Amino acid sequence: MTRGILIVGNNSPLLTALAEEAARRVEHFVAAFIPDQSDKTLTVSSAEMLNWNPGSPIAARTLLLGAENRLGQVNEAILVCAPPRLCNERLDSKGIESLVNDHIKGWLLLVKELTTSFRTRKTGTLAMALSKPPEDLLAPIAFNAFQTFANGLLSVASSEPFQTVGFLPPDNGDDTGFAAFIFKIIDDGNKKSNGRWQRYGKLFSSKFF
């Protein structure tokens, strides 16, 4: 059976770099963007895009089912937290709603579906990658919420039948190198990586965060 790769997150340079790395490994994979105002396309021909409404529990289940229908099964789910600018100098209702539904609630609902599937099959890899947020009132909140959630998942990883690994953003902003590093860790499948934060060029234990 082919290797089923699902990449989900913000339309960002890191997600594009991960898609290009995935294309080097498989002929076909699935990706989904958190909705925003940008051009929601990937130039990687082997990527099939699926729609996702992050604030909906039904949409989270539909996204996973859609990925499974196209891939056979999802072996590796890579979640990319690269929050865009969510508001200007002042808070507004649209930015707050996007923060809660798209950048907090959505991840919780999707991870619930992914971990349930991985537990049932007793295998899989849940990878969570962070990219530094812009200087903005709300984007850092989305970043910190994702990292805190990831900390919790990493802390219980040893009790799960699947692998959970986190990736901290590099200081040099090298998305291409960072994406290659992420896939190298996933490809290696080293049990020592389970439940730990990885940084491009460094290794960190989740207990430090």
Side-chain angles (χ1 to χ4, degrees):
M1 182 175 292
T2 187
R3 176 179 177 182
I5 300 175
L6 170 64
I7 303 175
V8 183
N10 307 100
N11 188 3
S12 63
L14 177 56
L15 193 147
T16 298
L18 285 165
E20 291 171 349
E21 283 295 323
R24 296 186 178 96
R25 291 162 170 78
V26 294
E27 294 183 358
H28 181 70
F29 67 95
V30 172
F33 285 148
I34 293 174
D36 59 26
Q37 301 301 314
S38 62
D39 182 14
K40 303 170 190 174
T41 60
L42 279 174
T43 57
V44 181
S45 60
S46 52
E48 180 170 357
M49 299 299 301
L50 295 181
N51 293 324
W52 180 37
N53 174 15
S56 165
I58 295 175
R61 181 61 179 156
T62 300
L63 174 59
L64 179 56
L65 287 175
E68 290 175 339
N69 287 338
R70 289 159 176 79
L71 299 171
Q73 65 182 23
V74 174
N75 305 106
E76 300 159 14
I78 305 175
L79 311 184
V80 182
C81 177
R85 190 173 299 279
L86 296 173
C87 68
N88 294 316
E89 295 180 358
R90 297 181 180 179
L91 294 176
D92 58 61
S93 298
K94 183 178 179 180
I96 294 171
E97 184 175 4
S98 177
L99 168 69
V100 175
N101 288 329
D102 298 345
H103 301 281
I104 297 178
K105 182 180 178 182
W107 290 126
L108 301 177
L109 294 172
L110 182 57
V111 167
K112 173 184 176 295
E113 295 296 336
L114 290 168
T115 54
T116 298
S117 175
F118 290 161
R119 286 190 194 108
T120 299
R121 292 191 286 110
K122 300 186 185 302
T123 187
T125 297
L126 176 63
M128 299 165 289
L130 288 163
S131 183
K132 290 183 178 180
E135 294 184 1
D136 178 69
L137 288 174
L138 296 179
I141 297 176
F143 179 94
N144 292 330
F146 184 95
Q147 185 172 12
T148 300
F149 182 41
N151 281 337
L153 294 169
L154 293 170
S155 70
V156 299
S158 62
S159 64
E160 297 284 9
F162 56 88
Q163 178 141 316
T164 305
V165 60
F167 295 91
L168 295 166
D171 294 330
N172 60 6
D174 178 11
D175 290 310
T176 299
F178 188 30
F181 172 74
I182 289 170
F183 265 104
K184 181 181 185 303
I185 296 295
I186 295 173
D187 293 346
D188 289 347
N190 191 329
K191 292 184 178 179
K192 291 183 179 180
S193 300
N194 189 41
R196 298 171 70 91
W197 282 109
Q198 315 284 327
R199 192 191 295 272
Y200 188 20
K202 296 181 180 180
L203 182 64
F204 289 86
S205 169
S206 60
K207 68 182 180 181
F208 294 129
F209 293 87

